[in-house]
Structure formats: structure tokens, C-alpha cells
Amino acid sequence: PKQMREKLAIIGEESDRLSKMVENLLYASRIQAGGLKLRLEPVALAPLAQHVAQRLSGLSAKHTLQVAMPADLPAVLADYERLEEVLVNLAENAIKYSPHGGEVLLSARFTGDEVIVSVTDQGIGVAQEDRERLFERFSRRDSRLVRQMKGTGLGLFICKSIIEAHGGHIWAESAPGGGSRFTFSL
């Protein structure tokens, strides 16, 4: 019975992973076909970031999720669920690619014209030549550590599509071994 429960748990986890992969493939196809519909409303980013940090806090005992956003940060006109999806994806990636743990920081600032949101980690970093392809569909870095991680290479493509549908821009700053900062503007 114990072995059967363990095997069933593995089957359940892999089924969930496969289901998520198919869902992401369909979502990416819908985006490319111009089927991304946004429900725009004023979104306060600080409470959204707090919600994401709280939601993901149980993913890893080695990581702490922090939120640093000014109290006077203006709301942005956006689709709440899609922005949540972007923040969750970026924060999950920060955890996944920081195998030794550390802080994951969700921060934002207002420039007067736009709000700039960043997710910063203390992970493995990304080389310049890899950064140019990060947001392409099915793009994954070619390193031993990355190949060991589960993923389809669709997450950042989906993030980019969502941010661009909002009229924003997304980019990455990083150095190998020096952590990464994924930033988007709205």
C-alpha cells in the first residue's frame, strides 16, 4: 500500500505537469493567433505583489519572498489576472533558478510616465547570449542545470505577450552567477 500511494502520487504530479504543459501550449497558440483578451481595470500593484508573495511562500523553505513597493505607487490600467500570471511566472522562475535559495524581491517604482516592476533573484544568472532568446517561444538555456529543471520554454514568451498586450515592455538584466532581474513597464 505504501509503494502504491507513492506511485500514485508521482502519477498525479506528472499528470498535473502534463496538463499544465498542454494548457500553456494552447495558451501560447491563442496568443499568437491574436486571441489574448484583456479585462482592463485599475490595478494596485502592491497588494497584487503581496498576494503573489504569500501564495508562493510555501514553494521553498530556502527562499524568502519580499515586496518593496512605495505606498504612493499609482494603480495601472491592466488585467488583474494576467498581471498576476506574469508575477507568478517570474517569481516561480526566480525560485527555480536560484537552487541555493536566497531572497526573491518583487519591487516597483514610478517614473512619472510609467510603472516599472521588477522581480530580482540571487540565482544562477543568464549570460548575455542567452538573454537575447529568453522571451522566444520554447526557448530554454542550454546548460546542465537548466536541462535538469522541468519546463517548456513558454513561460517567458507568455509573460512577454501579456505585457506587450498591455502596451508595455519586458526585459532581463543578469550576469552568470550574479542573479537576475526581470523587469516590465506599464
Side-chain angles (χ1 to χ4, degrees), residues 54-81:
Q54 186 175 27
R55 178 175 152 193
L56 299 181
S57 65
L59 279 183
S60 170
K62 297 188 295 185
H63 296 84
T64 58
L65 281 88
Q66 300 293 325
V67 176
M69 297 189 179
D72 62 346
L73 189 69
V76 294
L77 190 60
D79 185 311
Y80 182 92
E81 289 181 16

Side-chain angles (χ1 to χ4, degrees), residues 14 17 21 59-60 62-63 89 91-101 121-126 138-155:
E14 290 302 312
R17 190 175 72 80
M21 185 184 306
L59 279 183
S60 170
K62 297 188 295 185
H63 296 84
N89 187 295
E92 283 179 341
N93 280 354
I95 292 168
K96 184 186 334 183
Y97 294 107
S98 300
H100 302 295
D121 65 49
Q122 299 170 332
I124 62 174
V126 183
F138 302 115
S139 176
R140 298 212 51 208
R141 287 186 43 215
D142 188 25
S143 74
R144 189 182 109 267
L145 179 62
V146 172
R147 282 191 300 272
Q148 292 172 349
M149 309 277 183
K150 294 179 180 176
T152 59
L154 288 172

Side-chain angles (χ1 to χ4, degrees), residues 17-183:
R17 190 175 72 80
L18 185 59
S19 176
K20 181 72 173 168
M21 185 184 306
V22 169
E23 186 179 301
N24 281 341
L25 286 167
L26 291 171
Y27 191 29
S29 295
R30 205 167 46 244
I31 287 170
Q32 283 197 313
L36 181 61
K37 304 282 189 256
L38 301 176
R39 287 189 4 231
L40 300 177
E41 60 188 354
V43 174
L45 288 170
L48 172 58
Q50 288 288 355
H51 168 74
V52 168
Q54 186 175 27
R55 178 175 152 193
L56 299 181
S57 65
L59 279 183
S60 170
K62 297 188 295 185
H63 296 84
T64 58
L65 281 88
Q66 300 293 325
V67 176
M69 297 189 179
D72 62 346
L73 189 69
V76 294
L77 190 60
D79 185 311
Y80 182 92
E81 289 181 16
R82 300 295 185 219
L83 281 188
E84 179 181 21
E85 187 175 350
V86 169
L87 286 175
V88 165
N89 187 295
L90 294 177
E92 283 179 341
N93 280 354
I95 292 168
K96 184 186 334 183
Y97 294 107
S98 300
H100 302 295
E103 182 180 87
V104 174
L105 177 65
L106 287 73
S107 61
R109 61 188 167 86
F110 181 57
T111 67
D113 295 326
E114 59 190 356
V115 173
I116 308 294
V117 180
S118 297
V119 177
T120 307
D121 65 49
Q122 299 170 332
I124 62 174
V126 183
Q128 175 64 38
E129 60 270 13
D130 292 327
R131 268 184 272 151
E132 296 169 9
R133 296 184 39 241
L134 277 176
F135 298 98
E136 293 176 6
R137 191 175 175 176
F138 302 115
S139 176
R140 298 212 51 208
R141 287 186 43 215
D142 188 25
S143 74
R144 189 182 109 267
L145 179 62
V146 172
R147 282 191 300 272
Q148 292 172 349
M149 309 277 183
K150 294 179 180 176
T152 59
L154 288 172
L156 292 176
F157 168 78
I158 290 171
C159 288
K160 178 182 179 197
S161 299
I162 290 170
I163 295 303
E164 288 179 349
H166 282 86
H169 179 66
I170 188 168
W171 64 95
E173 302 166 277
S174 183
S180 299
R181 176 180 296 125
F182 284 81
T183 304

